[in-house]
C-alpha cells in the first residue's frame, strides 16, 4: 500500500531512511525484515535537516479528505470471484518460471471478467506457491476483509507486520495488498467512487512486483454501464 507520510524532525542533522528488503520467494531472503543484526534492510534516502527553527505543524488542524466516503456493506456485494496468482516451472517454456493469473499470461484482447458499474463484489485472491504477490488494481479501491497467512518465515515481528499491513486500520480503502505465500486475501471492491457515480470501461489488475507483471502476471477486466452520473 502506498502512503503519504508527514515527517517532522526534532533537531538538525542527517537522518537515514531505511528500506525493508523482502524477497518475492519466501524462504530465500535470509533474516526477516526489520532492525537488528544481519538485517537485510538498506538505506533508501538520507535527509539533511539544516535548521531546527521551523515551527512544528499542528496535526490537529490538518484536514484530510477520504477518497471514498462510505464503507461497503454485505448487502452491497452482488458477485464473487476467485483469482489465483500462479507461478509455474515449465523448463521448456520461456520465460521461466511463468508468472500467470488463472492459468494464463496477459493478453490485452482477452477479457474474461466483467463487472457492473456501481456494484460491489467480493474477490478472493490466492497465491498457489511460495511467493509473495502484491495485488494492485487500477481505478477502483477496495477494503480488505480477511487475510490467511499461508506460509510465512521470519521473526514474529515480521510475520505479524505482514498481516497488519493489510488489515490495520480495518476497512481502510486501498489499491494494493500483499497476498502471502500459499495464502489468501478476501477483498470487497466497489466499482465507483460512491453509490451514485462510477467509471466504466476496460482496466487491469496485476502483481505489483514488476518482474512478475512484465512476464505476464496481469489481467484486464471490463466495468460495464450504467453511464456515470453528470
Amino acid at each position: 500500500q502506498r502512503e503519504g507520510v508527514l515527517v517532522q524532525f526534532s533537531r538538525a542533522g542527517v537522518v537515514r531512511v531505511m528500506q525493508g528488503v523482502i524477497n518475492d520467494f519466501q524462504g530465500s531472503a535470509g533474516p526477516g525484515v526489520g532492525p537488528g543484526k544481519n538485517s537485510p534492510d538498506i538505506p533508501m534516502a538520507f535527509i539533511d535537516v539544516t535548521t531546527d527553527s521551523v515551527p512544528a505543524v499542528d496535526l490537529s488542524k490538518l484536514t484530510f479528505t477520504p477518497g471514498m466516503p462510505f464503507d461497503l456493506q454485505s448487502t452491497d456485494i452482488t458477485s464473487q470471484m476467485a483469482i489465483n496468482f500462479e507461478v509455474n516451472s515449465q523448463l521448456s517454456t520461456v520465460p521461466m518460471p511463468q508468472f500467470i493469473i488463472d492459468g494464463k499470461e496477459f493478453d490485452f484482447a482477452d477479457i474474461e471478467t466483467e463487472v457492473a458499474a456501481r456494484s460491489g463484489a467480493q474477490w478472493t485472491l490466492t497465491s498457489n506457491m511460495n511467493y509473495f504477490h502484491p495485488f494492485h488494481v487500477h481505478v477502483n479501491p477496495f477494503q480488505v476483509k480477511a487475510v490467511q497467512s499461508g506460509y510465512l518465515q521470519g521473526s514474529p515481528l515480521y510475520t505479524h507486520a505482514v498481516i497488519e499491513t493489510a488489515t490495520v486500520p480495518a476497512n481502510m480503502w486501498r489499491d494494493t495488498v500483499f497476498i502471502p505465500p500459499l495464502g489468501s486475501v478476501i477483498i470487497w471492491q466497489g466499482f465507483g467512487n460512491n453509490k451514485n457515480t462510477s467509471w466504466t470501461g476496460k482496466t487491469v489488475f496485476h502483481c505489483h512486483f514488476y518482474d512478475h507483471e512484465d512476464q505476464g502476471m496481469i489481467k484486464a477486466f471490463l466495468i460495464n454501464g450504467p453511464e456515470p452520473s453528470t
Side-chain angles (χ1 to χ4, degrees), residues 7 12-13 21 28 35 46 60 63 88 99 115 143 157 173 196 199 205 212-213:
V7 180
V21 176
S28 63
F46 292 89
S60 66
T63 301
N88 291 343
F99 294 96
V115 298
Q143 294 177 300
L157 176 65
W173 287 99
N196 296 311
W199 300 273
F205 57 85
H212 296 194
E213 172 194 349

Side-chain angles (χ1 to χ4, degrees), residues 25-222:
F25 182 73
Q26 178 75 108
S28 63
V33 176
K37 186 177 180 180
N38 299 323
S39 169
D41 290 4
I42 60 175
M44 182 174 65
F46 292 89
I47 301 174
D48 188 6
V49 183
T50 59
T51 179
D52 54 5
S53 62
V54 176
V57 175
D58 185 352
L59 300 180
S60 66
K61 295 182 179 180
L62 296 180
T63 301
F64 299 94
T65 303
M68 299 287 279
F70 65 97
D71 286 334
L72 290 170
Q73 307 298 320
S74 60
T75 53
D76 297 320
I77 304 303
T78 58
S79 64
Q80 297 189 40
M81 184 169 68
I83 302 168
N84 192 23
F85 286 68
E86 305 170 37
V87 183
N88 291 343
S89 299
Q90 298 179 12
L91 298 180
S92 60
T93 302
V94 176
M96 211 296 293
Q98 298 83 42
F99 294 96
I100 56 180
I101 296 177
D102 293 336
K104 295 182 179 180
E105 65 180 22
F106 178 59
D107 180 347
F108 74 93
D110 182 16
I111 300 179
E112 296 181 331
T113 302
E114 298 187 19
V115 298
R118 306 182 193 172
S119 70
Q122 176 173 296
W123 288 10
T124 301
L125 317 171
T126 57
S127 171
N128 78 323
M129 286 190 68
N130 202 19
Y131 280 83
F132 277 105
H133 296 297
F135 168 85
H136 174 69
V137 63
H138 290 204
V139 179
N140 293 282
F142 56 82
Q143 294 177 300
V144 175
K145 307 306 291 186
V147 177
Q148 173 62 44
S149 61
Y151 177 63
L152 289 174
Q153 289 183 329
S155 68
L157 176 65
Y158 166 66
T159 56
H160 188 63
V162 170
I163 303 302
E164 284 211 343
T165 296
T167 56
V168 178
N171 292 322
M172 184 176 81
W173 287 99
R174 307 168 184 270
D175 65 11
T176 308
V177 64
F178 259 122
I179 309 171
L182 298 173
S184 64
V185 178
I186 296 175
I187 64 172
W188 285 3
Q189 190 165 189
F191 300 102
N193 65 342
N194 60 52
K195 297 182 180 181
N196 296 311
T197 63
S198 61
W199 300 273
T200 58
K202 180 181 175 181
T203 186
V204 298
F205 57 85
H206 58 89
C207 177
H208 224 303
F209 283 144
Y210 290 129
D211 60 332
H212 296 194
E213 172 194 349
D214 291 348
Q215 294 182 73
M217 193 167 268
I218 180 171
K219 192 169 186 177
F221 70 103
L222 187 66

